[in-house]
Amino acid sequence: MSIYYNEVARTFTLHTKHTSYQMKVGPSNYLFHLYYGPSMTDPDLDYQIMQYDRGFSGNPYEYRNKRTFSLDALPQEFTTLQQGDFRISSIEISNSDGSYSFNGHFKDYTITKGKYKLDTLPSSFATDRDTVDSLEITLEDEISKIEVTLLYGVFEEADIITRAVKVRNNGNGRIHLKKIMSTCLDFVNGSDLEIVNLHGRYGQERNFERQRLTHHIHTISSGRGSSSHQQNPFVMLCKENTTEDAGDCYGATLVYSGNFLAEVELDQYNQARLLMGINSKQFNFILNPKDVFEAPEVLMTFTDLGFTSLSHTYHDFFRQNMCESKFVHGERPILINTWEATFFDFDDTKLIEIAKAAKNMGVELMVMDDGWFGDRMDDNAGLGDWVVNKKKIRCGLNELVKQINDIGLKFGIWFEPEMVSEDSDLYRAHPDWAMQIPGRPAVRSRNQLVLDLTRKDVQDYLIESVNAVLDSANIYYMKWDVNRSVTDIFSNELPPEQQGEVYHRYILGLYRILDGIVKTHPDILFEGCSGGGGRYDPGMLTYFPQYWNSDNTKPIDNLKLHYGTSFLYPICTMGAHVSEANPNISITTKACVAMCGTFGYELDATKLSKKEIAECRRQSRLFKKYRPIIFEGDYYRLTNPFHPGNLSAWQSVSKDKKESLISVVVTNLTVNGPQEYILAKGLNPDWFYYVDQLDMEISGSALMHIGIPIPREIPEYTSFQYHLKHKRKSNK
Ligand code: DGJ
C-alpha cells in the first residue's frame, strides 16, 4: 500500500517512488496539509506549524479564547469558507438559507486498491503495470450537511498523485455551488517560489513563461468555454534556482477541456497556496438534496531534479495512463493534410492527384480537411451538415476512399462537430440548437455559431451523423476541429436559474459525444484540433492520442512551440507538419522541426519538384526509422529558444539509452563567431556511441561534456540530425 493512516498521529501519508505527501486531521478535525516533496518517513510533520495571534485573522468560534488558532495562517488540504481564512478558497457555496459558508471537518476515510473513477468526467487509469491506491477523505459541514469528498490516486512508480473532489448536498434545501477547486496545495514558506505557465494566442500557443511569486494572486485561466490558446491548464511552481537538470519543482495540470482556473497566492506571511479547478466565471451549479457534483481531476507531481525530470514524469504518464487508444503506442502513419494545399478549393480529381504525388514522398495517410460536406465552398456555410458535398466529391466518399486506398494510402477526414453555420440545413431545421441569448443576436466568430451541447438531442444528432460518415467508408483517421470560443452562454432547455451550469454542461455533453464517437471506433486514429492547438489539454488527450499543435507551421516559430509544449505533453501527441510557410527555409530543416512531433506534410504535393519529392522520400524513410525513439523515448530540451542564442537543439533518447537522435537548427550565424557545441543528455557515460554524421564512435561522457561541434561555414537555418547508436562499453 502506498497510503498509510497513522491512527496515533492522525496523519495520512501517501508515497510514490520518489515523493511523499502528508496531511493531518488536526484540532477540531480540520484537515491540514503538512508536506509534499522528496520521500520521507516522518509519521507526523506538524512540528513545522507555528501559531501566533495574527491580528485581523479570525478564530473559529471554539478558539475564541485561543487567539493563536486561525485558519488564515494554517496550511489546509481543502479550505473552508467564511471561517477566518481570507486567502483564495477551494469552494464557494451559497447555502439554502442564502449564506456563504462552508466549515468542513474530517468525517471519515477509505483506502482502496486500484484507481478511483469519476462518473461524469474523464480521468487517468491504472494499467496492469501500475501499483495504484486510492484514498477518499470526507469532510462535512455539520450545519449545512454539505459533504466534500477528496479523492486521491497514488501512482507509485509514475510519481503522480491525482486529486479530484466530489460535493454532495446532504441537506434539505437547494444549494448553489459557485466555485470548486480540485486541488489545494499549501506551502508554509513560499517566499522563494516561482511560477511557470504556458501562455499564447492563436498561431502562437504554449509559450514558456516564468516569474517570481509576488504578494498577490496570480491567475492562470480560461473563460473562453475551452481550455484555450491563451493559457494551458498547467502550472509549475519551482525554486529560483531550479533548472532543467536540478531543483525543486511541482506540477499541476487539469484533466478538463473547459473554463479552468489556477490561482497562486503569496500571502501576507509568505505562505503560498496553489488552487486548480473549474473557472468560477458564470459558474453557478445547483445541487438539490442528494445531488453530487464532480470536479475534474488534477495530475500532480514533484521532483527535485528539475524541469526535465518533471516533463519525463508527465510524458510517461500521458503515454501510459491517460488515453486508451491503441494508437498511443501503435504506429502512426506519416500523413499529408489537404488544408494548406487547397483550402476549400478541391474536388475528388485534385485529391487523387495529391494522393499519387504523396505516395511517392513516402506518405502513408491522406487527410481530406475542411470543405468536403454540405454546401461548404468557404467558411460561411455548411457546418452541421455532415453529408458529402456531391459537387466536390462526385464519385462519393466510399469510392474516393477506395481509390486512395488503391494508390496505397490510408484515408482520413476532418469534422467540426460542435459548430453550426447559419447557412446550413441543420440550422434551418433547428435554429434553437445554436447557443443564443433570447432577444440578442449571437456573437459570430468565423461566421459560425456554437451548438448547444448541453442538449441530449444535439448530442445524439452529432453522434449519429458523424458515426454514419465514419462507418460509410474505410476511414482510418479523423481530425476533430473546433474553430471558435464559446459565447452567448444560454441553453433553451434549461430554466433561468440553471444558466450558470451551461459552460460545464457543454463540456459534459462534449465528453458524452466523444464517448459515442471516439470510444466506439477503436480502430480509428483521432487527432484533436482547435484552430491549431487551442484546446490541447489533458482532458482531450484522454480521447485523442495526438493534437494539432498550431495553425502556424513556420519552422522557426515552431521551435518555441515545441519547446513550451514539451514541458507537459509528450512529443507523440504533437501534430507537426512540413508546409509551404517560410519559403526561404529548406524543406530539410522544416522536416527536422516537424520530426519533433507526429510528422506529416501540409502542402500541395503535386507542386513539388522531383528533387523535393526525393528529399521527402528520404525524410519519410528517416522518420520511420526514428519514430520509435521520438515517440517512446525520453525527450530533452538542449537549448531554450526563448533565450538569445544561435542554435536550437533537442534530443530523444530510447529508454534503454542505446539509441538517440539529436536535432539542431542554426537560427542565427554570428559573423566570425565562436565555435558552438551541443551537449547531449541522458546517455550512458560509459558507453560508446556511433554518431552517423561524424562517422565515428564517441563516448556518452564526451558527448555530454564536450558535446558535438556544430559546423559554422553553412547557410543560416541549416539543420542537423545526429543519430547515435550504442556500440560498446568503454575500455576502462
Ligand atoms: C483550423 C485547423 O487548425 C486547420 O488545420 C484546418 O483544419 C482549418 N481549421 C479548417 O477549417
Side-chain angles (χ1 to χ4, degrees), residues 339 369-370 414 446 479 481 483 529 531-532 548 551 602:
W339 179 243
D369 208 277
D370 193 355
W414 177 99
R446 215 192 189 199
K479 177 173 172 187
D481 202 353
N483 280 300
C529 174
W548 181 225
D551 275 357
E602 182 116 5

Side-chain angles (χ1 to χ4, degrees), residues 233-252:
F234 171 59
V235 284
M236 287 193 289
L237 292 178
C238 60
K239 292 283 173 71
E240 195 180 356
N241 59 4
T242 301
T243 63
E244 279 287 355
D245 306 308
D248 287 4
C249 76
Y250 297 85

